Amino acid sequence: MPWYPEGNPMADARKGAASPTAEELDPCDVVRSILGRVGDKWSAVVMDELAAGPRRFNELRRLVSPITQRVLTSTLRALEGDGLVTRTVHPTIPPQVEYALTDSGRALHAIIKNVAAWTDAYLGTVHAARSARKDSAG
Amino acid sequence: MPWYPEGNPMADARKGAASPTAEELDPCDVVRSILGRVGDKWSAVVMDELAAGPRRFNELRRLVSPITQRVLTSTLRALEGDGLVTRTVHPTIPPQVEYALTDSGRALHAIIKNVAAWTDAYLGTVHAARSARKDSAG
DNA sequence: CAGGATCCGTGGGGATACTG
DNA sequence: CAGTATCCCCACGGATCCTG
């Protein structure tokens, strides 16, 4: 039994098109959006850094290296929007904002680590396949 | 210890920019590319269908519903290029092509199912976070 | 049946400048 | 410090037509 819709997977789940009442919301769409989230360019890296403990914005910016400030912001907003990270503002001067993983974020991060383990196990297979592809392509 | 590079994650790993000699290839880049793969719009769905058994092209096309032929082709090529699925051509008339998961593909699919399980467990959390976001936005 | 070739719109993401 | 605002590029994905 598939976890994705028969007719229109994902659709505009990330835009919240029809705003269903949570119980009507298809888990399939959520799975797809979550896969898309951890599959985007930086979310997984950010989560992995946050797994070590709460971090501040520019701290993350440095840890996640060549990420742009604009992209880091939108990445964090997206993660926050799915309840994977929390954003805590300390009203000091200068402002201090701390980002941290939630329980769900931590659980999802564990799965990401499984992908890392998978890569460790199948690195040879992947590389062989890529080489073969390169081989037949010229 | 992070599974991604400090300086330049992903980079152009998917293009095979410098064609490293397999041992020099950073596993980190591979993790990112794999996450990107299962995070794209259709790969996970295709793999889930293939998990039930080998399928032919147009068979998949119907199962994965509104996917375009062009996109299904490129998705399958990408999966094949990473050694996640095999493509077997039977020289009949009309031509018959069968796609199937490899061992690594099956293992990766298992992880994807974990994400589905995660979603099942945290669906409420995710929805609550999304509602809250919607709440403060509108 | 299983694609290849072509055209095109959308938006993810990079660079840069500015602000409370 | 922690963002917001703008501009821009191009890869992803959709639509359509054509073929061995």
Side-chain angles (χ1 to χ4, degrees):
Chain A
M1 187 157 303
W3 42 264
Y4 52 86
E6 306 301 299
N8 192 352
M10 178 186 260
D12 29 23
R14 299 167 80 168
K15 300 175 186 173
S19 70
T21 48
E23 279 70 25
E24 303 180 34
L25 171 51
D26 229 335
C28 321
D29 292 349
V30 181
V31 175
R32 306 233 34 202
S33 63
I34 293 298
L35 280 173
R37 181 78 65 227
V38 305
D40 75 3
K41 194 164 185 179
W42 298 107
S43 291
V45 183
V46 169
M47 290 182 65
D48 198 61
E49 287 299 343
L50 290 180
R55 300 279 178 231
R56 296 174 57 183
F57 186 84
N58 281 307
E59 199 173 358
L60 270 178
R61 186 154 154 58
R62 277 184 294 272
L63 288 169
V64 188
S65 70
I67 193 174
T68 315
Q69 157 279 320
R70 176 197 174 343
V71 174
L72 177 56
T73 300
S74 72
T75 298
L76 287 169
R77 291 282 188 276
L79 292 172
E80 186 192 2
D82 279 348
L84 299 171
V85 314
T86 58
R87 175 175 181 272
T88 314
V89 182
H90 300 100
T92 62
I93 295 182
Q96 178 164 346
V97 181
E98 271 202 347
Y99 293 91
L101 281 186
T102 63
D103 286 345
S104 65
R106 215 171 301 276
L108 189 56
H109 173 255
I111 298 183
I112 294 176
K113 298 289 279 189
N114 287 342
V115 177
W118 178 94
T119 296
D120 195 36
Y122 291 99
L123 184 58
T125 304
V126 172
H127 185 72
R130 290 185 180 176
S131 302
R133 183 159 185 68
K134 195 175 49 183
D135 194 38
S136 68
Chain B
M1 187 154 306
W3 42 262
Y4 52 85
E6 306 302 296
N8 193 350
M10 177 185 261
D12 26 24
R14 297 168 81 168
K15 300 176 187 173
S19 71
T21 49
E23 279 68 25
E24 302 179 33
L25 172 53
D26 230 336
C28 321
D29 291 349
V30 180
V31 175
R32 307 233 31 204
S33 64
I34 293 299
L35 280 173
R37 181 78 64 228
V38 305
D40 75 2
K41 194 165 185 180
W42 298 107
S43 291
V45 184
V46 169
M47 289 183 66
D48 199 60
E49 287 298 344
L50 289 180
R55 299 279 179 232
R56 296 175 57 182
F57 186 84
N58 281 308
E59 198 174 358
L60 269 178
R61 187 154 154 58
R62 276 184 295 271
L63 289 169
V64 187
S65 68
I67 193 174
T68 316
Q69 160 275 318
R70 173 195 171 358
V71 175
L72 177 56
T73 300
S74 71
T75 299
L76 287 169
R77 291 284 187 275
L79 293 173
E80 186 192 2
D82 279 349
L84 299 171
V85 315
T86 58
R87 176 175 179 272
T88 313
V89 183
H90 299 99
T92 63
I93 295 182
Q96 178 163 346
V97 181
E98 272 201 348
Y99 293 91
L101 280 187
T102 62
D103 287 345
S104 65
R106 215 172 300 275
L108 189 57
H109 174 255
I111 299 183
I112 294 176
K113 299 288 279 190
N114 285 343
V115 176
W118 179 95
T119 297
D120 196 36
Y122 291 99
L123 184 59
T125 305
V126 172
H127 185 73
R130 291 184 179 176
S131 302
R133 183 156 186 70
K134 195 176 51 184
D135 194 38
S136 68

